[in-house]
Structures are given as structure tokens and as C-alpha cells.
Amino acid sequence: MTPFMLRVADALGSDYADDVDLPVPETRPSKYRPVGKGNDIHVAYRGLTEQLVCEANAMLSAEDDHMTLVDEIVGNEMLYSVYYRGRAAVVSTVFGEGTAYGRVVADGLDNSEPRELAGPESVEDLLLLLLMESDTPRHPSH
């Protein structure tokens, strides 16, 4: 099992009390960058997210519903959303006037101003936050 699969197994096998600290993905204020660089970062995060969603789904028992990953283009924004039990985390890149900037929007994050993931390690915490805030079934994983 991968280190992320072990983190998911730990989350699934635990009884979390209301006062337990949820994982909080590190973010930073969105910054403008060249279009090519913004696209490259988006594609890298998207590929990593797909891998981690597959790993998380492997840890969920067959009767549980799984995380889903959906790609979209809306206007000048390229985005992907991860859904689990009625909640979503959205990572996007907005393009315009020769620049691009990233954004992440999810329950449990400060969404008051545009923010982007601080690095690849933030993707794991984003997915764990989605799992843990979505009434994840608690059971021993195998």
C-alpha cells in the first residue's frame, strides 16, 4: 500500500469526534503566471489527483460509493472537480490576457479570495478533507 492509502485507511478506521482537527491543505494566494506555466501546473495537479482518487477508492469498501473526478472547461476556466457524498473540491486554472492563475474551492477552506494549492502535497490533504467532511463511513479497511 502507498503512504496515501495508509492515510485513507487510518481515516476510515477511526471514529472522529467533532473536535478532531481535519486535514487542511496548504494554500497560498493565487498568483498570475504565463499561460504555458499555468497549464503545466494544472495538468500536473490533475494527474496527481487522478492517481490519489484511485488510491482512495481502492480503500473504500465495495458497498460504499466512490470518489469521482470530472473535467470541465467553462468559459476561460479549465477545471476538475472531485465529488464524494454530495461534496466537491474544485481545482481550476483561469486564463486571460496572456496569463493564468490557479484556484481551489472546497468546504473547509477559506474561499473569500482566490487561493491555489501550495504544492503537490496539498492534494492529499484536500482529498482527505473531502472524505472526512462527507460523512465517510467508518469501518475497518483491509
Side-chain angles (χ1 to χ4, degrees):
M1 284 198 291
T2 68
F4 181 64
M5 291 170 83
L6 294 173
R7 289 183 72 192
V8 171
D10 182 50
L12 294 175
S14 300
D15 291 323
Y16 288 94
D18 292 334
D19 60 348
V20 168
D21 291 331
L22 295 172
V24 178
E26 187 176 348
T27 64
R28 62 179 171 227
S30 297
K31 67 179 189 177
Y32 289 90
R33 51 183 52 92
V35 168
K37 180 72 172 173
N39 185 66
D40 288 348
I41 291 170
H42 183 87
V43 169
Y45 280 142
R46 193 324 191 152
L48 176 59
T49 302
E50 181 175 18
Q51 173 189 333
L52 294 174
V53 164
C54 290
E55 291 180 18
N57 284 341
M59 300 308 295
L60 295 167
S61 65
E63 65 269 4
D64 293 335
D65 44 346
H66 287 166
M67 295 181 118
T68 57
L69 178 63
V70 177
D71 295 296
E72 294 180 82
I73 295 178
V74 178
N76 63 343
E77 189 171 14
M78 181 169 58
L79 57 100
Y80 64 88
S81 304
V82 180
Y83 296 97
Y84 185 71
R85 294 187 171 237
R87 292 187 184 257
V90 180
V91 178
S92 70
T93 301
V94 179
F95 300 93
E97 299 181 18
T99 62
Y101 68 92
R103 292 181 27 189
V104 59
V105 177
D107 289 338
L109 297 181
D110 177 9
N111 296 311
S112 60
E113 294 188 22
R115 298 194 63 82
E116 62 187 23
L117 294 171
E121 62 284 346
S122 298
V123 176
E124 285 189 15
D125 288 335
L126 180 64
L127 295 180
L128 284 172
L129 179 65
L130 183 61
L131 276 170
M132 294 169 68
E133 283 204 329
S134 299
D135 192 30
T136 304
R138 307 291 179 221
H139 58 80
S141 57
H142 40 290

